[in-house]
């Protein structure tokens, strides 16, 4: 009993206000460090492509999420998502989502099956919390140059066709947000990619970033930025798109998390 009581007291916040503020600051910073570590884990070495993720929370911690999972057949599974809300509550749900993705990827053969398994695992908790998650999950196959993908109510990724110098949206797939109906089955589609093609997965914080006049960055500016930096390595392209957003917003406060994943095809396989 003495041992458990001391654990309880150790975790109790301080009673006075100055110490409470320091305690909260320390706890939030710890949460930020944990989230940063999870979001910046090792990127798989993908044959024939470069993959890069980037996330900037609106607050110290956020609810956007991306992850990579190497599959045994040489493919790499990519996921990007947006948890409803911001700050600590959204970050907690993001961790829950990450666990469901990793678990589903162990046993699911495709992106649609992965989202179906994640939805089944998360639905009860999300509904009880009156929350939801939008996601795009995709498998990149370096042997066939085929990207197979499924969406759970998330914006479709952009595809830069390098040879034609044009950007299109990936064909839409049917799929509702995770947390709505536990037995929902997600549709898949696939698309063949070519050398120097770029696929950009992103969350709505990118295109909804506002300047001081309340104007949004919007999808058209994102497309122009993607075309402008098409020749850059994936990590540089991502950083330069973010720089363009900061230039546009003119120092206005960031209202939403901004997250993207860039896949750039290097060579035919």
């Amino acid at each position: 009993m003495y041992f458990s009581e001391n654990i309880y007291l150790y975790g109790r916040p301080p009673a006075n206000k100055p110490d409470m503020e320091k305690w909260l600051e320390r706890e939030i910073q710890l949460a930020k460090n944990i989230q940063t570590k999870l979001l910046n884990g090792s990127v798989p070495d993908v044959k024939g492509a470069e993959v890069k993720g980037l996330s900037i929370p609106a607050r110290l911690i956020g609810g956007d999420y991306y992850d990579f999972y190497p599959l045994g057949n040489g493919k790499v599974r990519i996921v990007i998502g947006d948890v409803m809300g911001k700050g600590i509550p959204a970050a907690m749900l993001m961790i829950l989502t990450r666990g469901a993705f990793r678990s589903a990827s162990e046993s699911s053969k495709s992106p649609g099956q992965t989202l179906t398994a994640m939805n089944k695992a998360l639905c009860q908790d999300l509904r009880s919390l009156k929350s939801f998650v939008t996601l795009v999950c995709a498998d990149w196959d370096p042997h066939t140059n085929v990207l197979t993908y499924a969406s759970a109510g998330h914006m479709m990724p952009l595809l830069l066709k390098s040879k034609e110098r044009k950007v299109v949206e990936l064909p839409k797939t049917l799929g509702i947000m995770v947390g709505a109906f536990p037995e929902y089955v997600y549709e898949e589609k696939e698309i063949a990619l070519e050398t120097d093609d770029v696929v950009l997965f992103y969350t709505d914080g990118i295109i909804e970033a506002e300047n001081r006049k309340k104007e949004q960055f919007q999808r058209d500016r994102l497309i122009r930025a993607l075309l402008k930096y098409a020749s850059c390595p994936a990590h540089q392209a991502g950083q330069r798109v973010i720089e363009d957003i900061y230039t546009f917003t003119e120092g206005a406060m960031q209202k939403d998390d901004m997250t993207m994943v860039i896949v750039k095809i290097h060579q035919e396989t």
Side-chain angles (χ1 to χ4, degrees), residues 100-120:
F101 171 70
R102 291 295 180 102
S103 178
S105 292
E106 285 281 349
S107 55
S108 301
K109 295 181 180 179
S110 68
Q113 289 183 16
T114 299
L115 291 183
T116 299
M118 289 177 70
N119 181 59
K120 187 171 289 188

Side-chain angles (χ1 to χ4, degrees), residues 121-147:
L122 292 171
C123 198
Q124 183 175 347
D125 288 339
L126 290 171
R127 292 178 76 175
S128 68
L129 295 168
K130 295 183 168 64
S131 188
F132 61 85
V133 183
T134 67
L135 296 158
V136 170
C137 183
D139 285 1
W140 161 243
D141 188 340
H143 303 296
T144 63
N145 273 356
V146 168
L147 185 78

Side-chain angles (χ1 to χ4, degrees), residues 208-221:
E208 293 176 3
E210 291 185 353
N211 61 19
R212 296 183 182 276
K213 298 176 184 176
K214 304 298 181 183
E215 298 168 332
Q216 294 188 341
F217 190 70
Q218 297 185 338
R219 185 171 170 269
D220 287 345
R221 288 188 180 88

Side-chain angles (χ1 to χ4, degrees), residues 191-235:
I191 190 166
L193 302 179
E194 300 176 295
T195 300
D196 294 328
D197 282 357
V198 177
V199 182
L200 175 67
F201 304 76
Y202 64 101
T203 60
D204 58 7
I206 296 286
I207 58 174
E208 293 176 3
E210 291 185 353
N211 61 19
R212 296 183 182 276
K213 298 176 184 176
K214 304 298 181 183
E215 298 168 332
Q216 294 188 341
F217 190 70
Q218 297 185 338
R219 185 171 170 269
D220 287 345
R221 288 188 180 88
L222 179 58
I223 288 173
R224 289 199 295 269
L226 188 57
L227 285 166
K228 184 165 53 172
Y229 304 126
S231 62
C232 297
H235 68 284

Side-chain angles (χ1 to χ4, degrees), residues 6-39:
N6 274 270
I7 289 179
Y8 174 76
L9 290 172
Y10 178 78
R12 181 183 293 171
N16 62 78
K17 187 175 179 179
D19 287 346
M20 168 69 83
E21 290 174 351
K22 290 180 182 177
W23 181 83
L24 284 172
E25 184 179 342
R26 186 167 59 248
E27 292 293 303
I28 292 171
Q29 186 60 49
L30 179 60
K32 175 180 172 60
N33 291 342
I34 291 171
Q35 186 179 55
T36 300
K37 185 174 180 61
L38 292 177
L39 277 175

